[in-house]
Structure formats: structure tokens, C-alpha cells
Amino acid sequence: MFPLRSIFSLPVFWIIAAIVPLVALLSIPISIPIGPMYWDTYLYLDAAQRIWMGQVPSVDFSTPVGPLPYYLFAAGLKLFENAQPLLLAQWCILPVAIPLFAPVLAETTRQSKAYAFALLVPFLVFATFPANVSAYHPFPTLDGFGIYNRHSVIFLYVLTSGLVFLKDGRRMAVLVAGAMLALFLTKITGFLVGGLFGLLALLSGRISLRYCILAVIIFLVPLAIAELTTGMVSAYLRDIAQLATMNEGSLLTRFLTVASLKLDVLLPVGVLALVLIWIDWTRADRSIRFFDHSFWWLSVVTAGGVIFETQNTGSQEFIFIWPVMLMIFERIRPLEQGPRMAVLALAAFCVIPTFTKVAHKTLRAAVVAPTYERLHLPEVRNMQQVSQRQEIIDRAIFLETHYENYAAAYADLSAHGQLPSWQYYSELDFQLYWIISANSLVESLKAFEAKNNVRLDSLMTLDFTNPFAWLLNRDATKHIQIGADPYRTVPPLTEETIRSVEETAAVLRPKCPLTTGRRMLEAHYQEALKGRTVVQIHPCWDLLLRPDILASNNLRPGLSPSLK
């Protein structure tokens, strides 16, 4: 029997122990400071309801990312009914990431407990702290956007750690297969970057061709099963191809954006790469294969980070440099003090900025959270579990009446391609107002159904996100995109989509305020919305009802004769 001191000194114990407070936090209805673009979180609620209703991602509805996080979130929401949505979305990948990471941690512990803890601490911070590097508001908040990007970089961190610290063999093959499968089913750009890392591991001799082939087989088997049973894999690849076509743009501009945002990391990485070339040139270690030199690992991992960030700017980027830095640290130990200290200083500049920004944002939000006020909006269930400063809540409450009274002004702005403000979706008052408005809609919709003795069994929203099917336990329109960004993600209408929209009982149209995105979505689905009649159930919301519902329930008062 191991003494407690021995157990507490094991990194694997702490990765398991870290789960306990997370489970406790998911089990109670806690509130967190709402942040910019928080409504991205509601995509997980939409996807969960669709999955519960029997829909298959990419087959029955299009998604901006892979299906794995949605399935994990849906399972987690069944298990933790009171879970705060953002926290559940952030932590739902841990049942996959921790089993993949634990063998790496155990193997590293046998080599050095210090290195194992040096791998563990960043993993726990980045995997559990729901904050991005980029900041869009000065107040302490948590980030409900870019969640799937954070998922991807965690899996890349696990993969890189395994490639660097595991020995070639079956465990390495299983780790590579599992991490690559998780990346493929989470974000395709993460999968491509992981493939780049795997290629370097093969060239450097860290994984043999034999076990590489084994990893490919293990990777393909579950995908083949999923494809044969659901058709999900081919549908997912079609979604990816379509999104890639819709988002063609200047690659140079994207690289420049990444370089400017991450100069605090890329500049020291560049200098460190030159120092590593000088060390390898002057102090060559003949036992290290050419492509296994530290310069190649640092350069390829950094290049992978840049490639990933051209599609996912501003999340927890470049955290997978950390395991490479530990490998470099081990290799420079025999060097004299001057070169060793230069490498250590540059390495610190490479990894500390990302770590401190994510940790600082999360801890700052946690510290101020008890002083923030909470919303009481029971109709939106878990979505009400957010908090903010009282003056921002007061402003959000005021906005509902304001938008009603000055609808024409915002209609004019949107008609000219302008939002109410330059960074409208990043503003905290809008994110709070959206929840307040959603609560008003649910109240009005329930009153409408009770008054007219009707149940609208399927719902669609002409807005970016649609949690209403989940809020009301209804079905959601099939063959449309969740996370409907008309600029980037909404594909052209197909006969299948038109038919599915036509079969939807009610389409929800938000009007407060009328924005460019809402205008574009209504125009996009115009053909499929023909023949519907508009019922204003709230000054800020219209119901676009299917014609047979009107006829069968004699709903005549308050109807408009046509869709405007």
C-alpha cells in the first residue's frame, strides 16, 4: 500500500483529482461573468437538442466544426442538467483528452516527475480555463466563443506531448490514432496540423513506419463504422469542402493577422530557432537524427500553430509549443551556462505570454464573479446562469423597450449594411439583452400556444443561434446550418433544405434590432418561407406560421396577410 505522500507526488493522481471540483461545479447552477460573443455557446444547446431528437451532425444539419464536442456536450447535459453551458462546453472533451494524456503523463513520470508536472500544469490550465488569449472587452469576463478552437489545441497539446515523450511502440500508435481521431472529429484544421506533427515524428524516427501504419488502421476503423452506420463521415467531409469554398480569401492577409496578433510569441520563437541552429552547428550531437533536432521540432510546431491560427485566430494558440520546450530544456542541460541561459530565457518568452493571459483572464473573472449581479429569467433555463455588473444589466433591460420604440433607426442602419455599433456582438449589453429577449419570446410563445390550443412541434430562427428548440423541447429544422453566419457558414439553398423549412411549424423572426445578419438570413430563406403568415407575438418577435396550422386552428386575429 502506497503512503499518501507517494500518491500525492504522482502527476496522474492530480489529473484525476482535478476532475472532482469540475464535477461539483457542473452539478450546481452557478453563474459566470458573460463575455463578448457569448452566444456562440448556444450552438451546443441547439446541437444537443437535435442529437436527442435523433438528428445526426452533418447528415441532418450542418455544423461549423466536427461532431465530437456536440455529442460529448449532449451526453454531459443529460448527466448535469443544471450545468452552466459554457463550463460544460469547455470541459466536455475531458473524458476523451484525459485518457489520451494519462499514459503520456505516466511514462514521463517514470523519466522525471518534474517534467511530468511541467506537462500537467499547462494541460490543466488550458483545458479547464474558459478564456482566450485575445481580449474584446476590458471588463472581467469568460469567453463563450472559440470553444472548439480551444478543444483542438488541447488535443494538439496531447498529441505533441506523446510524440515527444512516448517511446515508439503500440502505446505511441494508440495515442497518435486517438488524438488524430479526436482532432478529425473536432476541427479539420487541427487534424491537418496534427498530421504535420506526425510526419515530422516519422521523419525524425520517433515513430516507426510499422507503428505509423498501425495508428492509421486504428484511426480508420471507428470512422468506417460511423460511415457505414450513419453516413456521417462523408457528409462531414462535404460540409468541410463547402465551408472551405465559402471562406476563400487572401491567405497572405490571414498570415499577417496571425503574425501581428502573436508577435509576442513568434518573435522570441524566431530568435530561439536561430540560437538552436547555432548550437546544433557548433555542438552537434551525432546521436540525434537530422529531423529530430530541436530546430526542426520548434519550427514545424510553430508553423503548425500559424497554419491553425489562419483559420482560428485569437484562441489559446501555440500552447503545443510547451512540450517541445521541455524537450529542448533536457537537451541543453550539458551545455555551458551562457548558451543554456539564453535558450531558457527565450523559451520563457515563447510560452509564458499565452499561459499568463489565459490564467489571468480566468482568475480575474473568478475573483469578481461574486460581486456581479445575476439574471432571473427562468424561461431560458441554464442560459440565465450568467452575471455582470448591475449597470450593464440595467442597460440590457432598457434596450428591449428602446429597440421597440426606435425600430426604424436600426432598420435604416441595417439597410445600409451597418450594425448598431462597430463591435456590436462583442458588447456585453447585447449578449445580456439577447438572453432577456429570448426569455420574452418563450413567455410569449407559451401564451400564444395556450390561448390558441396549439403546439408548434418544430422551430427555426432567423438569427445566428437557435436554442429555442432546446428551451421548449421541440424539434429543430433539419438540413440547415447551426451557427448561421450569412457571411461565412450558410450554404446555398437546396431542394432538401427548402422542403425541410417548409415543413417547419414556426419560424421565429427577431426584430429588435433588425441587423444586417437577420436581413440576410430572411432574404436567403425567402423562397422556403413563401405562403407563411406573420403573427406578432411580441413587439420584438414574429411567428412565421405554416399555412395548415392557421387553417386547422382558425388563427385569424392579428395576422398579417403576407410575409413582408
Side-chain angles (χ1 to χ4, degrees), residues 454-468:
V454 63
R455 187 178 191 274
L456 305 172
D457 57 2
S458 55
L459 300 174
M460 173 182 167
T461 308
L462 296 174
D463 206 357
F464 171 70
T465 186
N466 177 28
F468 299 105

Side-chain angles (χ1 to χ4, degrees), residues 459-495:
L459 300 174
M460 173 182 167
T461 308
L462 296 174
D463 206 357
F464 171 70
T465 186
N466 177 28
F468 299 105
W470 170 73
L471 289 172
L472 293 157
N473 194 27
R474 312 293 167 86
D475 208 349
T477 303
K478 291 184 177 181
H479 307 302
I480 63 173
Q481 174 80 34
I482 67 169
D485 182 343
Y487 295 96
R488 298 190 303 117
T489 64
V490 180
L493 284 181
T494 63
E495 290 298 323

Side-chain angles (χ1 to χ4, degrees), residues 458 460 477 500-507 528-534 543-547 549-550 560-564:
S458 55
M460 173 182 167
T477 303
S500 185
V501 174
E502 289 175 342
E503 293 171 353
T504 302
V507 176
L529 297 172
K530 290 178 181 177
R532 289 180 178 262
T533 306
V534 181
L543 280 184
L544 280 55
L545 292 173
R546 198 175 62 213
I549 294 176
L550 302 176
S560 301
S562 62
L563 179 63
K564 297 181 179 179

Side-chain angles (χ1 to χ4, degrees), residues 154-166:
I154 287 299
F155 287 129
L156 285 170
Y157 183 96
V158 172
L159 175 64
T160 308
S161 298
L163 293 174
V164 169
F165 288 100
L166 282 183

Side-chain angles (χ1 to χ4, degrees), residues 374-380 384 386 439 443:
R374 301 180 180 183
L375 298 175
H376 179 66
L377 302 169
E379 296 294 348
V380 292
Q384 70 175 318
V386 293
N439 190 80
E443 289 177 340

Side-chain angles (χ1 to χ4, degrees), residues 189-236:
T189 46
F191 169 74
L192 296 175
V193 170
L196 179 64
F197 297 172
L199 177 61
L200 177 61
L202 179 63
L203 293 175
S204 65
R206 287 184 174 266
I207 183 170
S208 63
L209 182 60
R210 171 190 175 188
Y211 287 111
C212 191
I213 294 173
L214 177 60
V216 171
I217 294 172
I218 297 172
F219 168 80
L220 290 176
V221 167
L223 292 181
I225 295 172
E227 176 63 18
L228 291 172
T229 55
T230 66
M232 181 174 63
V233 177
S234 58
Y236 176 42

Side-chain angles (χ1 to χ4, degrees), residues 423-436:
Q423 288 193 335
Y424 186 57
Y425 302 125
S426 299
E427 294 178 0
L428 306 184
D429 53 357
F430 168 76
Q431 294 298 330
L432 283 169
Y433 161 70
W434 201 94
I435 302 175
I436 294 169

